[in-house]
């Protein structure tokens, strides 16, 4: 599925805002369990460098 530039910009702004207000990471929908597990492990065990995934 191709996204328009407007949709891409909106997604970037949502992720940027999420990280700016203190969230440790952003995982977009639909959630893939492997990405979720990796992100949670990163935050739980290594202090949680912000990880942006699609």
């Amino acid at each position: 599925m191709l996204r328009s530039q407007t949709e891409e910009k909106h997604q970037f702004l949502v992720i940027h805002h999420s990280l700016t207000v203190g969230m440790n990471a952003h995982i977009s929908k639909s959630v893939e369990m492997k990405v979720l597990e990796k992100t949670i492990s990163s935050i739980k065990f290594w202090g949680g460098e912000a990880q942006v995934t699609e």
Side-chain angles (χ1 to χ4, degrees):
M1 178 176 164
L2 296 176
R3 293 191 233 171
S4 70
Q5 286 183 333
T6 302
E7 291 170 323
E8 292 283 336
K9 184 176 181 180
H10 175 74
Q11 182 180 11
F12 173 80
L13 292 173
V14 168
I15 293 169
H16 178 73
H17 176 72
S18 299
L19 299 175
T20 300
V21 298
M23 295 179 93
N24 293 32
H26 180 276
I27 300 173
S28 61
K29 297 179 204 170
S30 61
V31 175
E32 295 180 31
M33 286 306 295
K34 292 291 181 190
V35 173
L36 179 60
E37 291 169 354
K38 182 179 175 183
T39 303
I40 291 171
S41 292
S42 172
I43 293 168
K44 184 175 178 181
F45 297 111
W46 297 294
E49 291 286 321
Q51 188 175 41
V52 179
T53 60
E54 288 189 33

